[in-house]
Amino acid sequence: MPLSLSDLNPALLKVEYAVRGELAIKAEAYRERLQEPNHGLPFDRIITANIGNPQAKGLDQKPITFSRQVAALTEYPPLIELGRDLFPADALARAKELCAEIGSIGAYSHSQGVPFIRRNVAKFIQERDGYPSDYNNIFLTTGASEGVSLLINMLITGPKDGILIPIPQYPLYTAALAQYSGVPIPYFLDESAGWLTRPDDVENAVQKAIAEGVKPKGLVVINPGNPTGSLLKEDAIRRLIQVAEKYSLVLLADEVYQDNLHRRDTQKFYSFKKIVSDLQSSVSLVSFHSISKGVTGECGRRGGYFETHNLSPEINALIYKMRSVTLCPPLAGQIGVDSLVRPPRPGDESYELWKKETDEIHQALASRTRIMAERLNQLEGATCVDSPGALYLFPRIYLSDKACKAARAAGKEPDTFYSLALLDATGICTVSGSGFGQKEGEFHYRLTCLCEGVDDYVGKLEKFHKTFMAKYAD
Amino acid sequence: MPLSLSDLNPALLKVEYAVRGELAIKAEAYRERLQEPNHGLPFDRIITANIGNPQAKGLDQKPITFSRQVAALTEYPPLIELGRDLFPADALARAKELCAEIGSIGAYSHSQGVPFIRRNVAKFIQERDGYPSDYNNIFLTTGASEGVSLLINMLITGPKDGILIPIPQYPLYTAALAQYSGVPIPYFLDESAGWLTRPDDVENAVQKAIAEGVKPKGLVVINPGNPTGSLLKEDAIRRLIQVAEKYSLVLLADEVYQDNLHRRDTQKFYSFKKIVSDLQSSVSLVSFHSISKGVTGECGRRGGYFETHNLSPEINALIYKMRSVTLCPPLAGQIGVDSLVRPPRPGDESYELWKKETDEIHQALASRTRIMAERLNQLEGATCVDSPGALYLFPRIYLSDKACKAARAAGKEPDTFYSLALLDATGICTVSGSGFGQKEGEFHYRLTCLCEGVDDYVGKLEKFHKTFMAKYAD
């Protein structure tokens, strides 16, 4: 008898991951069709605004030269000698040091990651926060997602265990909760106050879950937010830690956008690790970081790490065991993490170029975000929080009853209906708000700020929006 | 209240993964101690014979030059021009082609892997088997393990679902079954016949499981075997496929050692895909391959793929969705897969060197395996199947009652007790047979054939074995 879906794990059938869902798949099909001479589409390119993938074709954010030079030299160590005239001295020295520590990058490393690189991560954290970090508590990963997924798998013991997640959230969290049959416990961010996280709302969500027989096990915080870009203030972090302490929740701090601040002269990122240390809190904390975001944008390299704090040696050993079944994270990703936490310093041969490259990326992200938010806010039937960080805007759209009815008739969520129409008309690929979660009756979409030619494509978006709103005016 | 193990998923507590367990951890501690001037240990180096990690420090199997050149050039594409005098023409051309297809390797690819690379994998399979392969059924992975784990997660719907695994087996299978709360259904390989797989034994195991209320969902076959190295004959494969068909089992064919044959002039590897196609069978099949083994040995790169065959589009879509949550496999691993399936051909500038490098590795593995098996078989109280493939020997040791009692008194399995004593006395790190499974009352250990200086270290092993056997003579 042929295998059918009903033979398979029903939990996996419930997993949803909108970022690579219907809209992305349709955009991919359009992209292939565009290569035909008579494609008949009303646009000439796909504008990939659905995913935080800065180096994707068509976005083409440049990789940081220093880290790619180190990567190439460690891939093919004879180049350190053969190509000594082609590379700056600090890249050559760094590669030599890494090769001596690691040996071949074709070998499995320690399952937590190369000890030398973990020590460098610990130093980076210590410099950032002013508190010690133990490299034994650092676990390098294949991007941040892998670590998040493992922690959720660990925390969920049965179908009545839950984890608090912000709404809107990055859909990895609901996907992992579906996969491991846990309950997502939503707490809503306040859009009217710039997507503010209100610790009282979090505590209310905890109490509501308990009243409904769900056991809250963890609290996910995304800072800066995805998809909202909002940045947590120090006091809010302090109060969230107190809520986690009070209800014995494990804090899962997704801090992969910590370097993506658009007003860096006035903003400050506070890590949960720092504030937990300030408070001398004993709360269990796992903090995630990645090379996929920030200004490195090295998504395809698959590198990241998490740091555990206040976990017992037995629990760290359990995490090690589970990591060891997957053998080790990719060495190219581990070396990417090393470059992230040890960028060139003033005086190093690569410093000026590194500074120029990273400054340009920061500026481009900030300027695109500001321009998009301004213009979206001028549209009738749309509002948009001007995101202070991360790589996204999450505009709200006010859809008419007529639009909602047309959507339901087409078997779509209204915001998905809007985003599909946007894609069909302009080639702009976004992700509809229903993929991230939103209040009942509200509609949004997520738009990355990674695409060049912002004037051009925001112009198309404006034109589409006006046409759509006119077509479906009540 | 601090988090304790009892708050965590009990399934994960049950996971065991001996390859990186107690013995490996102790060896790692010894390795650090060896760096101290007065280490007081009776050996000067750790002989890493526990894990199939050919490029590990101390083993130092050289990477294939061509694939590392392509890797370096795709990491830092300006080198294609800058370093045109340092690289052979075919490596430069390959890198240029990959860069054009992929764009930046810092971008997430398609979640199944770069389409161009999947097409190359499909061609490789087609050439190997003589049957078509569809690139839409190819899923690139972060090493083979990740795919195996996903398939087991998919197949297990509840605690009464089981999967047939060979005993001895590679402990990934029991680890994944423990993680996803499935039942391992053992079928025993016949050591007296060179670790032969007997399809009748497999069918008996299926029937026994059904009688015990367990629902068999899948059949794992490891060919060539790990830890046994045994190679399946065509007829056995045919009969295993018939068993899978009869009981609607999904065949999981772990073929990561397909290129590790020690008598290549007389041996032939038959893939399950080929024989399923010969039989025009409709059995559901998933076949795994990897760049970590073979002669590439690129473990740290984390690359591999699986091919699905006879799965419905809905099930392929489910697999795609689950892969998309992890975003994509590392691009360095994907490029490694491309080099595996598209090695230099006669006439290419890199061909001679590639041929020399791969021949040398094949010969070294074959010769070490033969020498080790011969000498192990001459020891009293030990026998060893002369493994025809893979990277391992799995000698049997005949431990006395006295040794078993001493082991139990130390709280260890007898073979773990032996392997620990071997490590303490010689620095040779193996994995005891209990980590792979064996018949009640039998004892083994797994030894890789990757270490240089085989005469020297087999000498140490022989001396240890004799001393141990004398000490614990009944």
Side-chain angles (χ1 to χ4, degrees), chain A residues 154-171:
Chain A
M154 272 179 59
L155 287 173
I156 299 299
T157 67
K160 282 297 191 183
D161 277 3
I163 292 196
L164 285 119
I165 55 170
I167 295 295
Q169 54 108 29
Y170 175 54

Side-chain angles (χ1 to χ4, degrees), chain A residues 373-380 382 462:
Chain A
E374 264 175 28
R375 288 178 55 176
L376 285 163
N377 274 316
Q378 284 164 16
L379 284 175
E380 216 158 304
E462 287 164 339

